[in-house]
């Protein structure tokens, strides 16, 4: 059975949590729903209350409800308090510094707790740095994945990139400007200098810039410039490999057979994965014996 059926299923009262997307740079991107929610919600949970204050000033909104600071360092302590308020019938709006809460930002713990408690969670969608960068990158958008920030330590970063070596989907990352050069150098080491990439800087802001090219070209650009601002990096997926000949995949079939898989099933699995003829691969396996 699903966790919920409809927006209020499982709710113990009229309270609700609304994840509200905030502008990623241009205050004009604020939705009418965001403005209404900030003005009417019983509680506004904000990643940074100072940024919230600047936002509502720019929007000309007066927050009537209680403002609570809610960030990665106090999520564990504050979540139970916020869930109790929603249980009591309060409407709570969650906002982060930019974009959609819980996407590389605080909010997941709150949603997880609300779902477990059967409380209503909904969203006021809006700006997203991930989707904006993807759309502007000029790279394939039909299949993509979001990888957030790479680890800061070189060894951990290399390990994460090794896990992505065969990833064919377009990948979107966030990165701090002072670490961009090191990131691009790590991408060159793992994926080579010719992989297509886009660095998206200060999206929707006055000095928005999207630099497109190869990993090698953008590393040269980063080395020659002092990069500033909010950064999203969009990397092309791994190129599709040529299927090769059936003989190239005999070892893969034999490896499956050694694990107890029947020969015909092993041939079918490998043939589908590498896109070669099952009949020709089966013949190649028998010939190799």
């Amino acid at each position: 059975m699903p966790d919920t059926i409809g927006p209020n299923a499982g709710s113990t009262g009229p309270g609700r949590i609304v994840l509200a997307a905030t502008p990623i740079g241009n205050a004009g991107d604020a939705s009418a729903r965001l403005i209404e929610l900030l003005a009417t919600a019983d509680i506004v949970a904000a990643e940074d209350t100072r940024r919230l204050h600047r936002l509502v000033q720019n929007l000309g909104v007066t927050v009537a409800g209680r403002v609570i600071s809610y960030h990665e360092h106090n999520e564990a302590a504050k979540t139970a308090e916020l869930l109790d308020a929603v249980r009591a019938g309060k409407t709570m709006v969650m906002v982060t510094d930019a974009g959609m809460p819980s996407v590389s930002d605080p909010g997941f713990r709150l949603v997880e707790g609300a779902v477990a408690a059967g409380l209503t969670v909904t969203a006021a969608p809006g700006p997203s740095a991930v989707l904006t960068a993807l759309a502007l990158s000029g790279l394939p958008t039909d299949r993509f994945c979001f990888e957030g920030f790479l680890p800061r330590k070189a060894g951990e970063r290399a390990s994460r990139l090794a896990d992505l070596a065969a990833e064919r989907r377009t990948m979107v990352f966030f990165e701090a400007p002072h670490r961009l050069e090191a990131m691009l150098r790590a991408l060159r080491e793992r994926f080579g200098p010719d992989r297509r990439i886009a660095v998206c800087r200060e999206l929707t802001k006055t000095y928005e810039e999207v630099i497109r090219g190869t990993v090698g070209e953008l590393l040269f650009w980063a080395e020659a410039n002092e990069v500033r601002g909010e950064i999203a990096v969009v990397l092309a997926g791994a190129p599709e490999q040529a299927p090769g000949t059936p003989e190239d995949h005999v070892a893969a079939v034999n490896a499956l057979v050694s694990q107890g898989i029947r020969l015909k099933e092993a041939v079918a699995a490998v043939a589908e994965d590498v896109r070669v003829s099952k009949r020709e691969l089966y013949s190649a396996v028998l010939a190799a014996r």
Side-chain angles (χ1 to χ4, degrees):
M1 293 290 292
D3 291 333
T4 59
I5 303 174
N8 294 301
S11 177
T12 56
R16 61 177 181 150
I17 295 169
V18 185
L19 305 178
T22 55
I24 61 175
N26 189 324
D29 293 332
S31 69
R33 261 188 91 194
L34 171 64
I35 293 171
E36 179 184 4
L37 286 164
L38 290 173
T40 61
D42 300 302
I43 299 170
V44 178
E47 181 182 7
D48 186 329
T49 56
R50 293 168 300 180
R51 290 204 181 193
L52 172 65
H53 181 67
R54 288 198 296 270
L55 175 64
V56 297
Q57 277 192 321
N58 288 335
L59 298 179
V61 179
T62 299
V63 177
R66 179 184 173 198
V67 175
I68 294 179
S69 177
Y70 186 78
H71 48 75
E72 62 177 331
H73 301 298
N74 71 359
E75 278 184 296
K78 290 285 188 180
T79 295
E81 174 188 345
L82 293 175
L83 293 179
D84 284 343
V86 175
R87 263 190 213 95
K90 303 295 185 182
T91 293
M92 194 214 77
V93 174
M94 170 80 215
V95 294
T96 55
D97 293 347
M100 177 60 72
S102 83
V103 180
S104 204
D105 271 334
F108 169 74
R109 190 188 295 268
L110 185 65
V111 174
E112 183 182 41
V115 170
L119 300 171
T120 297
V121 184
T122 186
S128 164
V130 176
L131 296 181
T132 303
L134 178 68
L136 294 178
S137 68
L139 297 173
T141 59
D142 54 336
R143 298 178 67 234
F144 71 94
C145 59
F146 174 57
E147 290 293 327
F149 287 90
L150 289 173
R152 298 185 182 187
K153 295 182 178 179
E156 294 175 3
R157 183 170 57 229
S159 178
R160 175 78 65 79
L161 292 177
D163 291 339
L164 297 172
E167 178 59 69
R168 292 185 180 177
R169 294 173 295 179
T170 300
M171 293 163 272
V172 183
F173 303 87
F174 288 159
E175 191 51 277
H178 63 278
R179 292 198 298 269
L180 178 63
E181 186 178 329
M183 177 195 186
L184 292 171
R185 190 170 289 110
L187 293 179
R188 184 183 63 180
E189 291 173 3
R190 169 52 57 182
F191 303 117
D194 298 324
R195 182 76 68 90
R196 293 167 64 204
I197 192 171
V199 170
C200 306
R201 191 182 72 82
E202 295 289 85
L203 291 171
T204 77
K205 299 178 183 178
T206 302
Y207 298 105
E208 174 180 288
E209 186 177 24
V210 179
I211 304 95
R212 306 173 184 88
T214 65
V215 170
E217 289 169 343
L218 266 65
L219 175 57
F220 179 81
W221 166 81
E223 291 172 337
N225 293 275
E226 183 180 358
V227 183
R228 297 181 179 180
E230 302 286 337
I231 302 289
V233 176
V234 187
L235 181 70
E240 192 168 338
Q241 299 296 318
T245 67
E247 289 74 17
D248 294 332
H249 307 291
V250 168
V253 173
N254 289 335
L256 293 178
V257 171
S258 69
Q259 298 172 22
I261 299 175
R262 295 175 57 190
L263 176 59
K264 286 187 177 181
E265 294 173 353
V267 168
V270 173
E272 180 178 2
D273 184 50
V274 301
R275 298 180 298 110
V276 297
S277 162
K278 286 191 292 185
R279 180 179 60 80
E280 292 179 2
L281 180 57
Y282 188 81
S283 297
V285 172
L286 294 182
R289 293 181 175 185

